[in-house]
PDB file of all heavy atoms in Angstrom:
ATOM      1  N   PRO A   1      38.786 105.920 115.965  1.00  0.00           N
ATOM      2  CA  PRO A   1      37.640 105.728 116.856  1.00  0.00           C
ATOM      3  C   PRO A   1      37.377 106.986 117.672  1.00  0.00           C
ATOM      4  O   PRO A   1      38.225 107.890 117.725  1.00  0.00           O
ATOM      5  CB  PRO A   1      38.110 104.584 117.765  1.00  0.00           C
ATOM      6  CG  PRO A   1      39.601 104.817 117.868  1.00  0.00           C
ATOM      7  CD  PRO A   1      40.019 105.344 116.515  1.00  0.00           C
ATOM      8  N   LEU A   2      36.223 107.048 118.279  1.00  0.00           N
ATOM      9  CA  LEU A   2      35.969 108.139 119.225  1.00  0.00           C
ATOM     10  C   LEU A   2      36.954 108.048 120.380  1.00  0.00           C
ATOM     11  O   LEU A   2      37.578 109.050 120.761  1.00  0.00           O
ATOM     12  CB  LEU A   2      34.527 108.063 119.746  1.00  0.00           C
ATOM     13  CG  LEU A   2      34.174 109.018 120.887  1.00  0.00           C
ATOM     14  CD1 LEU A   2      34.385 110.470 120.473  1.00  0.00           C
ATOM     15  CD2 LEU A   2      32.744 108.779 121.364  1.00  0.00           C
ATOM     16  N   TYR A   3      37.106 106.843 120.919  1.00  0.00           N
ATOM     17  CA  TYR A   3      38.032 106.646 122.038  1.00  0.00           C
ATOM     18  C   TYR A   3      38.512 105.202 122.032  1.00  0.00           C
ATOM     19  O   TYR A   3      37.754 104.289 121.723  1.00  0.00           O
ATOM     20  CB  TYR A   3      37.356 106.961 123.378  1.00  0.00           C
ATOM     21  CG  TYR A   3      38.325 107.106 124.521  1.00  0.00           C
ATOM     22  CD1 TYR A   3      38.968 108.316 124.757  1.00  0.00           C
ATOM     23  CD2 TYR A   3      38.617 106.034 125.357  1.00  0.00           C
ATOM     24  CE1 TYR A   3      39.875 108.459 125.800  1.00  0.00           C
ATOM     25  CE2 TYR A   3      39.525 106.167 126.391  1.00  0.00           C
ATOM     26  CZ  TYR A   3      40.149 107.376 126.606  1.00  0.00           C
ATOM     27  OH  TYR A   3      41.054 107.513 127.636  1.00  0.00           O
ATOM     28  N   SER A   4      39.790 105.026 122.364  1.00  0.00           N
ATOM     29  CA  SER A   4      40.376 103.693 122.482  1.00  0.00           C
ATOM     30  C   SER A   4      40.989 103.563 123.865  1.00  0.00           C
ATOM     31  O   SER A   4      41.945 104.268 124.189  1.00  0.00           O
ATOM     32  CB  SER A   4      41.439 103.470 121.407  1.00  0.00           C
ATOM     33  OG  SER A   4      42.142 102.265 121.640  1.00  0.00           O
ATOM     34  N   LEU A   5      40.442 102.684 124.681  1.00  0.00           N
ATOM     35  CA  LEU A   5      40.951 102.525 126.035  1.00  0.00           C
ATOM     36  C   LEU A   5      42.359 101.954 126.022  1.00  0.00           C
ATOM     37  O   LEU A   5      43.193 102.320 126.863  1.00  0.00           O
ATOM     38  CB  LEU A   5      40.017 101.614 126.843  1.00  0.00           C
ATOM     39  CG  LEU A   5      40.224 101.605 128.366  1.00  0.00           C
ATOM     40  CD1 LEU A   5      39.989 102.998 128.951  1.00  0.00           C
ATOM     41  CD2 LEU A   5      39.286 100.594 129.022  1.00  0.00           C
ATOM     42  N   ASP A   6      42.670 101.063 125.079  1.00  0.00           N
ATOM     43  CA  ASP A   6      44.005 100.473 124.990  1.00  0.00           C
ATOM     44  C   ASP A   6      45.036 101.474 124.468  1.00  0.00           C
ATOM     45  O   ASP A   6      46.192 101.455 124.884  1.00  0.00           O
ATOM     46  CB  ASP A   6      43.986  99.230 124.088  1.00  0.00           C
ATOM     47  CG  ASP A   6      43.203  98.088 124.696  1.00  0.00           C
ATOM     48  OD1 ASP A   6      43.116  98.038 125.938  1.00  0.00           O
ATOM     49  OD2 ASP A   6      42.670  97.266 123.934  1.00  0.00           O
ATOM     50  N   ASN A   7      44.617 102.325 123.528  1.00  0.00           N
ATOM     51  CA  ASN A   7      45.523 103.328 122.940  1.00  0.00           C
ATOM     52  C   ASN A   7      44.804 104.674 122.904  1.00  0.00           C
ATOM     53  O   ASN A   7      44.369 105.128 121.835  1.00  0.00           O
ATOM     54  CB  ASN A   7      45.943 102.909 121.531  1.00  0.00           C
ATOM     55  CG  ASN A   7      46.702 101.608 121.507  1.00  0.00           C
ATOM     56  OD1 ASN A   7      47.861 101.547 121.887  1.00  0.00           O
ATOM     57  ND2 ASN A   7      46.029 100.550 121.056  1.00  0.00           N
ATOM     58  N   PRO A   8      44.689 105.351 124.049  1.00  0.00           N
ATOM     59  CA  PRO A   8      43.928 106.607 124.112  1.00  0.00           C
ATOM     60  C   PRO A   8      44.418 107.674 123.146  1.00  0.00           C
ATOM     61  O   PRO A   8      43.633 108.499 122.673  1.00  0.00           O
ATOM     62  CB  PRO A   8      44.113 107.054 125.569  1.00  0.00           C
ATOM     63  CG  PRO A   8      44.438 105.809 126.323  1.00  0.00           C
ATOM     64  CD  PRO A   8      45.221 104.960 125.365  1.00  0.00           C
ATOM     65  N   GLU A   9      45.724 107.654 122.828  1.00  0.00           N
ATOM     66  CA  GLU A   9      46.271 108.679 121.947  1.00  0.00           C
ATOM     67  C   GLU A   9      45.766 108.551 120.511  1.00  0.00           C
ATOM     68  O   GLU A   9      45.887 109.483 119.712  1.00  0.00           O
ATOM     69  CB  GLU A   9      47.810 108.629 121.951  1.00  0.00           C
ATOM     70  CG  GLU A   9      48.429 107.425 121.294  1.00  0.00           C
ATOM     71  CD  GLU A   9      48.440 106.176 122.171  1.00  0.00           C
ATOM     72  OE1 GLU A   9      47.898 106.231 123.296  1.00  0.00           O
ATOM     73  OE2 GLU A   9      48.977 105.149 121.728  1.00  0.00           O
ATOM     74  N   LEU A  10      45.179 107.399 120.144  1.00  0.00           N
ATOM     75  CA  LEU A  10      44.725 107.183 118.772  1.00  0.00           C
ATOM     76  C   LEU A  10      43.275 107.602 118.551  1.00  0.00           C
ATOM     77  O   LEU A  10      42.821 107.666 117.412  1.00  0.00           O
ATOM     78  CB  LEU A  10      44.889 105.707 118.387  1.00  0.00           C
ATOM     79  CG  LEU A  10      46.306 105.129 118.469  1.00  0.00           C
ATOM     80  CD1 LEU A  10      46.324 103.696 117.966  1.00  0.00           C
ATOM     81  CD2 LEU A  10      47.291 105.982 117.673  1.00  0.00           C
ATOM     82  N   GLY A  11      42.536 107.874 119.612  1.00  0.00           N
ATOM     83  CA  GLY A  11      41.139 108.281 119.486  1.00  0.00           C
ATOM     84  C   GLY A  11      41.005 109.777 119.271  1.00  0.00           C
ATOM     85  O   GLY A  11      41.912 110.553 119.597  1.00  0.00           O
ATOM     86  N   ILE A  12      39.855 110.210 118.733  1.00  0.00           N
ATOM     87  CA  ILE A  12      39.654 111.636 118.504  1.00  0.00           C
ATOM     88  C   ILE A  12      39.244 112.359 119.783  1.00  0.00           C
ATOM     89  O   ILE A  12      39.311 113.591 119.837  1.00  0.00           O
ATOM     90  CB  ILE A  12      38.620 111.886 117.394  1.00  0.00           C
ATOM     91  CG1 ILE A  12      37.225 111.458 117.852  1.00  0.00           C
ATOM     92  CG2 ILE A  12      39.005 111.168 116.114  1.00  0.00           C
ATOM     93  CD1 ILE A  12      36.124 111.949 116.940  1.00  0.00           C
ATOM     94  N   ALA A  13      38.830 111.626 120.801  1.00  0.00           N
ATOM     95  CA  ALA A  13      38.476 112.244 122.083  1.00  0.00           C
ATOM     96  C   ALA A  13      39.695 112.248 122.998  1.00  0.00           C
ATOM     97  O   ALA A  13      40.372 111.236 123.159  1.00  0.00           O
ATOM     98  CB  ALA A  13      37.330 111.493 122.743  1.00  0.00           C
ATOM     99  N   GLU A  14      39.979 113.388 123.589  1.00  0.00           N
ATOM    100  CA  GLU A  14      41.133 113.491 124.475  1.00  0.00           C
ATOM    101  C   GLU A  14      40.787 113.189 125.920  1.00  0.00           C
ATOM    102  O   GLU A  14      41.666 112.923 126.741  1.00  0.00           O
ATOM    103  CB  GLU A  14      41.750 114.891 124.379  1.00  0.00           C
ATOM    104  CG  GLU A  14      40.815 116.012 124.813  1.00  0.00           C
ATOM    105  CD  GLU A  14      41.444 117.382 124.625  1.00  0.00           C
ATOM    106  OE1 GLU A  14      42.595 117.420 124.148  1.00  0.00           O
ATOM    107  OE2 GLU A  14      40.794 118.386 124.948  1.00  0.00           O
ATOM    108  N   ASN A  15      39.491 113.210 126.242  1.00  0.00           N
ATOM    109  CA  ASN A  15      39.091 112.966 127.631  1.00  0.00           C
ATOM    110  C   ASN A  15      37.612 112.588 127.669  1.00  0.00           C
ATOM    111  O   ASN A  15      36.876 112.810 126.705  1.00  0.00           O
ATOM    112  CB  ASN A  15      39.337 114.213 128.477  1.00  0.00           C
ATOM    113  CG  ASN A  15      39.435 113.883 129.963  1.00  0.00           C
ATOM    114  OD1 ASN A  15      39.305 112.716 130.366  1.00  0.00           O
ATOM    115  ND2 ASN A  15      39.655 114.898 130.773  1.00  0.00           N
ATOM    116  N   TYR A  16      37.201 112.032 128.801  1.00  0.00           N
ATOM    117  CA  TYR A  16      35.792 111.691 128.979  1.00  0.00           C
ATOM    118  C   TYR A  16      35.438 111.707 130.457  1.00  0.00           C
ATOM    119  O   TYR A  16      36.306 111.602 131.332  1.00  0.00           O
ATOM    120  CB  TYR A  16      35.477 110.316 128.381  1.00  0.00           C
ATOM    121  CG  TYR A  16      36.081 109.152 129.140  1.00  0.00           C
ATOM    122  CD1 TYR A  16      35.367 108.506 130.155  1.00  0.00           C
ATOM    123  CD2 TYR A  16      37.366 108.689 128.856  1.00  0.00           C
ATOM    124  CE1 TYR A  16      35.916 107.435 130.859  1.00  0.00           C
ATOM    125  CE2 TYR A  16      37.918 107.636 129.542  1.00  0.00           C
ATOM    126  CZ  TYR A  16      37.192 107.012 130.538  1.00  0.00           C
ATOM    127  OH  TYR A  16      37.753 105.965 131.237  1.00  0.00           O
ATOM    128  N   THR A  17      34.146 111.853 130.737  1.00  0.00           N
ATOM    129  CA  THR A  17      33.609 111.740 132.095  1.00  0.00           C
ATOM    130  C   THR A  17      32.323 110.919 132.015  1.00  0.00           C
ATOM    131  O   THR A  17      31.742 110.753 130.936  1.00  0.00           O
ATOM    132  CB  THR A  17      33.301 113.116 132.695  1.00  0.00           C
ATOM    133  OG1 THR A  17      32.357 113.806 131.851  1.00  0.00           O
ATOM    134  CG2 THR A  17      34.568 113.960 132.829  1.00  0.00           C
ATOM    135  N   HIS A  18      31.904 110.412 133.157  1.00  0.00           N
ATOM    136  CA  HIS A  18      30.643 109.662 133.196  1.00  0.00           C
ATOM    137  C   HIS A  18      29.906 109.977 134.488  1.00  0.00           C
ATOM    138  O   HIS A  18      30.499 110.428 135.484  1.00  0.00           O
ATOM    139  CB  HIS A  18      30.890 108.158 133.074  1.00  0.00           C
ATOM    140  CG  HIS A  18      31.789 107.591 134.134  1.00  0.00           C
ATOM    141  ND1 HIS A  18      31.365 107.370 135.432  1.00  0.00           N
ATOM    142  CD2 HIS A  18      33.095 107.209 134.094  1.00  0.00           C
ATOM    143  CE1 HIS A  18      32.363 106.865 136.133  1.00  0.00           C
ATOM    144  NE2 HIS A  18      33.429 106.766 135.346  1.00  0.00           N
ATOM    145  N   SER A  19      28.615 109.754 134.475  1.00  0.00           N
ATOM    146  CA  SER A  19      27.804 109.963 135.673  1.00  0.00           C
ATOM    147  C   SER A  19      28.095 108.868 136.692  1.00  0.00           C
ATOM    148  O   SER A  19      28.674 107.829 136.373  1.00  0.00           O
ATOM    149  CB  SER A  19      26.319 109.969 135.307  1.00  0.00           C
ATOM    150  OG  SER A  19      25.946 108.726 134.734  1.00  0.00           O
ATOM    151  N   SER A  20      27.690 109.086 137.914  1.00  0.00           N
ATOM    152  CA  SER A  20      27.979 108.123 138.982  1.00  0.00           C
ATOM    153  C   SER A  20      27.317 106.773 138.745  1.00  0.00           C
ATOM    154  O   SER A  20      27.810 105.747 139.213  1.00  0.00           O
ATOM    155  CB  SER A  20      27.530 108.700 140.332  1.00  0.00           C
ATOM    156  OG  SER A  20      26.141 109.011 140.306  1.00  0.00           O
ATOM    157  N   ASP A  21      26.210 106.767 137.988  1.00  0.00           N
ATOM    158  CA  ASP A  21      25.525 105.492 137.727  1.00  0.00           C
ATOM    159  C   ASP A  21      25.870 104.909 136.355  1.00  0.00           C
ATOM    160  O   ASP A  21      25.262 103.932 135.914  1.00  0.00           O
ATOM    161  CB  ASP A  21      24.002 105.673 137.858  1.00  0.00           C
ATOM    162  CG  ASP A  21      23.445 106.631 136.819  1.00  0.00           C
ATOM    163  OD1 ASP A  21      24.249 107.272 136.095  1.00  0.00           O
ATOM    164  OD2 ASP A  21      22.206 106.749 136.732  1.00  0.00           O
ATOM    165  N   PHE A  22      26.827 105.526 135.654  1.00  0.00           N
ATOM    166  CA  PHE A  22      27.325 105.036 134.369  1.00  0.00           C
ATOM    167  C   PHE A  22      26.264 105.026 133.263  1.00  0.00           C
ATOM    168  O   PHE A  22      26.367 104.255 132.311  1.00  0.00           O
ATOM    169  CB  PHE A  22      27.909 103.625 134.506  1.00  0.00           C
ATOM    170  CG  PHE A  22      29.095 103.547 135.418  1.00  0.00           C
ATOM    171  CD1 PHE A  22      28.941 103.131 136.738  1.00  0.00           C
ATOM    172  CD2 PHE A  22      30.358 103.921 134.986  1.00  0.00           C
ATOM    173  CE1 PHE A  22      30.032 103.059 137.596  1.00  0.00           C
ATOM    174  CE2 PHE A  22      31.447 103.858 135.834  1.00  0.00           C
ATOM    175  CZ  PHE A  22      31.294 103.428 137.144  1.00  0.00           C
ATOM    176  N   THR A  23      25.267 105.896 133.359  1.00  0.00           N
ATOM    177  CA  THR A  23      24.253 105.987 132.298  1.00  0.00           C
ATOM    178  C   THR A  23      24.532 107.131 131.337  1.00  0.00           C
ATOM    179  O   THR A  23      23.945 107.178 130.247  1.00  0.00           O
ATOM    180  CB  THR A  23      22.846 106.164 132.884  1.00  0.00           C
ATOM    181  OG1 THR A  23      22.816 107.345 133.695  1.00  0.00           O
ATOM    182  CG2 THR A  23      22.441 104.950 133.715  1.00  0.00           C
ATOM    183  N   GLU A  24      25.399 108.081 131.741  1.00  0.00           N
ATOM    184  CA  GLU A  24      25.727 109.213 130.885  1.00  0.00           C
ATOM    185  C   GLU A  24      27.238 109.315 130.725  1.00  0.00           C
ATOM    186  O   GLU A  24      27.977 109.278 131.711  1.00  0.00           O
ATOM    187  CB  GLU A  24      25.171 110.519 131.467  1.00  0.00           C
ATOM    188  CG  GLU A  24      23.649 110.550 131.548  1.00  0.00           C
ATOM    189  CD  GLU A  24      23.127 111.884 132.038  1.00  0.00           C
ATOM    190  OE1 GLU A  24      23.950 112.818 132.199  1.00  0.00           O
ATOM    191  OE2 GLU A  24      21.909 112.003 132.259  1.00  0.00           O
ATOM    192  N   TRP A  25      27.665 109.425 129.455  1.00  0.00           N
ATOM    193  CA  TRP A  25      29.093 109.505 129.144  1.00  0.00           C
ATOM    194  C   TRP A  25      29.335 110.718 128.254  1.00  0.00           C
ATOM    195  O   TRP A  25      28.723 110.843 127.188  1.00  0.00           O
ATOM    196  CB  TRP A  25      29.553 108.242 128.419  1.00  0.00           C
ATOM    197  CG  TRP A  25      29.485 107.001 129.269  1.00  0.00           C
ATOM    198  CD1 TRP A  25      28.366 106.297 129.613  1.00  0.00           C
ATOM    199  CD2 TRP A  25      30.586 106.323 129.872  1.00  0.00           C
ATOM    200  NE1 TRP A  25      28.691 105.218 130.388  1.00  0.00           N
ATOM    201  CE2 TRP A  25      30.065 105.206 130.566  1.00  0.00           C
ATOM    202  CE3 TRP A  25      31.960 106.530 129.879  1.00  0.00           C
ATOM    203  CZ2 TRP A  25      30.871 104.317 131.264  1.00  0.00           C
ATOM    204  CZ3 TRP A  25      32.774 105.651 130.568  1.00  0.00           C
ATOM    205  CH2 TRP A  25      32.225 104.558 131.258  1.00  0.00           C
ATOM    206  N   GLU A  26      30.228 111.601 128.684  1.00  0.00           N
ATOM    207  CA  GLU A  26      30.542 112.803 127.915  1.00  0.00           C
ATOM    208  C   GLU A  26      31.992 112.751 127.437  1.00  0.00           C
ATOM    209  O   GLU A  26      32.898 112.403 128.203  1.00  0.00           O
ATOM    210  CB  GLU A  26      30.318 114.053 128.764  1.00  0.00           C
ATOM    211  CG  GLU A  26      30.573 115.347 128.006  1.00  0.00           C
ATOM    212  CD  GLU A  26      30.286 116.578 128.829  1.00  0.00           C
ATOM    213  OE1 GLU A  26      29.432 116.489 129.752  1.00  0.00           O
ATOM    214  OE2 GLU A  26      30.915 117.626 128.585  1.00  0.00           O
ATOM    215  N   PHE A  27      32.208 113.128 126.166  1.00  0.00           N
ATOM    216  CA  PHE A  27      33.537 113.074 125.565  1.00  0.00           C
ATOM    217  C   PHE A  27      33.942 114.454 125.056  1.00  0.00           C
ATOM    218  O   PHE A  27      33.131 115.173 124.468  1.00  0.00           O
ATOM    219  CB  PHE A  27      33.564 112.073 124.408  1.00  0.00           C
ATOM    220  CG  PHE A  27      33.349 110.652 124.843  1.00  0.00           C
ATOM    221  CD1 PHE A  27      32.057 110.155 124.990  1.00  0.00           C
ATOM    222  CD2 PHE A  27      34.428 109.820 125.121  1.00  0.00           C
ATOM    223  CE1 PHE A  27      31.849 108.850 125.402  1.00  0.00           C
ATOM    224  CE2 PHE A  27      34.228 108.510 125.536  1.00  0.00           C
ATOM    225  CZ  PHE A  27      32.943 108.028 125.674  1.00  0.00           C
ATOM    226  N   ILE A  28      35.215 114.798 125.283  1.00  0.00           N
ATOM    227  CA  ILE A  28      35.801 116.032 124.794  1.00  0.00           C
ATOM    228  C   ILE A  28      36.673 115.698 123.585  1.00  0.00           C
ATOM    229  O   ILE A  28      37.619 114.914 123.692  1.00  0.00           O
ATOM    230  CB  ILE A  28      36.653 116.730 125.871  1.00  0.00           C
ATOM    231  CG1 ILE A  28      35.863 116.888 127.167  1.00  0.00           C
ATOM    232  CG2 ILE A  28      37.154 118.073 125.358  1.00  0.00           C
ATOM    233  CD1 ILE A  28      34.621 117.726 127.033  1.00  0.00           C
ATOM    234  N   ILE A  29      36.350 116.278 122.444  1.00  0.00           N
ATOM    235  CA  ILE A  29      37.048 115.963 121.191  1.00  0.00           C
ATOM    236  C   ILE A  29      38.253 116.879 121.008  1.00  0.00           C
ATOM    237  O   ILE A  29      38.195 118.083 121.295  1.00  0.00           O
ATOM    238  CB  ILE A  29      36.077 116.090 120.010  1.00  0.00           C
ATOM    239  CG1 ILE A  29      34.967 115.040 120.161  1.00  0.00           C
ATOM    240  CG2 ILE A  29      36.803 115.902 118.671  1.00  0.00           C
ATOM    241  CD1 ILE A  29      33.859 115.175 119.156  1.00  0.00           C
ATOM    242  N   ARG A  30      39.341 116.299 120.531  1.00  0.00           N
ATOM    243  CA  ARG A  30      40.555 117.077 120.265  1.00  0.00           C
ATOM    244  C   ARG A  30      40.268 118.160 119.220  1.00  0.00           C
ATOM    245  O   ARG A  30      39.551 117.929 118.256  1.00  0.00           O
ATOM    246  CB  ARG A  30      41.667 116.163 119.716  1.00  0.00           C
ATOM    247  CG  ARG A  30      41.996 114.968 120.584  1.00  0.00           C
ATOM    248  CD  ARG A  30      43.018 114.078 119.889  1.00  0.00           C
ATOM    249  NE  ARG A  30      43.111 112.795 120.543  1.00  0.00           N
ATOM    250  CZ  ARG A  30      43.925 112.539 121.573  1.00  0.00           C
ATOM    251  NH1 ARG A  30      44.708 113.510 122.023  1.00  0.00           N
ATOM    252  NH2 ARG A  30      43.962 111.345 122.120  1.00  0.00           N
ATOM    253  N   LYS A  31      40.907 119.307 119.398  1.00  0.00           N
ATOM    254  CA  LYS A  31      40.736 120.400 118.438  1.00  0.00           C
ATOM    255  C   LYS A  31      41.819 120.390 117.364  1.00  0.00           C
ATOM    256  O   LYS A  31      41.823 121.263 116.485  1.00  0.00           O
ATOM    257  CB  LYS A  31      40.709 121.735 119.171  1.00  0.00           C
ATOM    258  CG  LYS A  31      39.489 121.878 120.086  1.00  0.00           C
ATOM    259  CD  LYS A  31      39.402 123.247 120.728  1.00  0.00           C
ATOM    260  CE  LYS A  31      38.160 123.343 121.604  1.00  0.00           C
ATOM    261  NZ  LYS A  31      38.058 124.677 122.251  1.00  0.00           N
TER     262      LYS A  31
END
């Protein structure tokens, strides 16, 4: 998956951020 909240280590994204109103979500993909 892009990201797994239950198992973050299994997703291809290593981190994420979101806007204060939760309308924008940015993901950093593992290299």
Side-chain angles (χ1 to χ4, degrees):
L2 172 59
Y3 194 84
S4 171
L5 194 61
D6 292 333
N7 298 286
E9 69 280 3
L10 301 184
I12 68 167
E14 62 183 1
N15 201 359
Y16 70 92
T17 58
H18 58 76
S19 61
S20 58
D21 64 352
F22 297 98
T23 58
E24 297 184 6
W25 294 76
E26 182 177 333
F27 294 86
I28 308 299
I29 296 173
R30 305 175 193 272
K31 294 185 179 180

